[in-house]
Amino acid sequence: MSAPAAESYDLKKGQLFNLLLITFASTVGFWAWTIVGPLAKYYAKPEQMNLNPGTTSLLVAMPIFIGAVGRIPIGGLTDKYGGRIMMSLVLAVSTPLVLLVGLAGSMKSFPLMLVFSFLLGIAGTVFAVGIPFSAAWYGASKKGFATGIYGVSTVGTAVSAFVTPILHRQLGYWPTHILLAALCLVMAAVCFTVLRDSPQFT
């Protein structure tokens, strides 16, 4: 028996709410993904890790690498388990990783920073979750609109660049990481309990 056409689903009920919620959740994920970069100058200081331009660039690039490559398997898992489960999982896993990055930085350990920053790239895979999730909530004529709205979530990288240094100055190093980890955890819980996959997802 063939599946019903997209237009036969009751897509309008909850589509905007779910689109906006996953957009905000992904913004948090993008912030977590890029938290290392805005603090690169702090890590490079002689009294911290005394990094040169090369090692600083390597540190900043670590989460970007796995965040890009990891979107392939995460996208496949999203097709199988749905955006609600995968967004909740990605944000939940990102929570301790943000704290581990903070721990490595407080220990002034460059090797640990490389390892945990690499793993933090998982947060960047939110994009592979949000795109199919958002598109599934809209018919063919509006999928571009949906993914365009969802694309706003990449502003999380700008939020990270602007807000992270301010929080670092005002709150301190550890509180900044704790705050972001708590935000990731809260959004993971919200996504798991409130977010709903499109009726088109089976």
Side-chain angles (χ1 to χ4, degrees):
M1 183 177 179
S2 61
E7 287 72 20
S8 69
Y9 290 106
D10 183 14
L11 292 178
K12 290 187 177 181
K13 187 177 180 180
Q15 63 180 187
L16 182 59
F17 173 79
N18 283 283
L19 174 60
L20 294 178
L21 179 55
I22 202 166
T23 298
F24 182 77
S26 293
T27 301
V28 174
F30 278 114
W31 182 1
W33 182 39
T34 54
I35 193 175
V36 175
L39 298 176
K41 290 184 178 179
Y42 169 77
Y43 294 130
K45 289 181 178 181
E47 64 271 24
Q48 296 303 320
M49 298 182 197
N50 194 29
L51 306 180
N52 59 44
T55 51
T56 301
S57 298
L58 177 62
L59 178 60
V60 173
M62 294 305 285
I64 306 302
F65 174 75
I66 193 62
V69 175
R71 290 175 183 179
I72 299 172
I74 293 298
L77 290 171
T78 300
D79 289 338
K80 183 175 182 179
Y81 297 108
R84 181 182 73 89
I85 294 296
M86 291 308 299
M87 182 60 71
S88 303
L89 183 61
V90 169
L91 290 174
V93 171
S94 299
T95 299
L97 292 175
V98 170
L99 294 176
L100 288 171
V101 166
L103 176 62
S106 66
M107 293 172 62
K108 304 178 183 180
S109 172
F110 181 66
L112 284 179
M113 278 295 297
L114 286 181
V115 172
F116 295 141
S117 295
F118 177 81
L119 295 175
L120 185 60
I122 292 172
T125 64
V126 291
F127 201 71
V129 178
I131 287 294
F133 176 92
S134 302
W137 267 105
Y138 287 79
S141 64
K142 292 187 176 181
K143 289 186 184 296
F145 165 80
T147 55
I149 293 295
Y150 174 75
V152 173
S153 64
T154 58
V155 75
T157 59
V159 171
S160 180
F162 181 73
V163 176
T164 302
I166 294 176
L167 292 176
H168 183 219
R169 290 194 299 269
Q170 298 296 325
L171 302 179
Y173 180 79
W174 254 116
T176 297
H177 286 78
I178 292 172
L179 177 63
L180 181 54
L183 187 55
C184 286
L185 185 60
V186 167
M187 288 312 303
V190 169
C191 287
F192 187 76
T193 56
V194 179
L195 199 67
R196 292 293 177 264
D197 286 297
S198 167
Q200 296 189 77
F201 176 76
T202 54

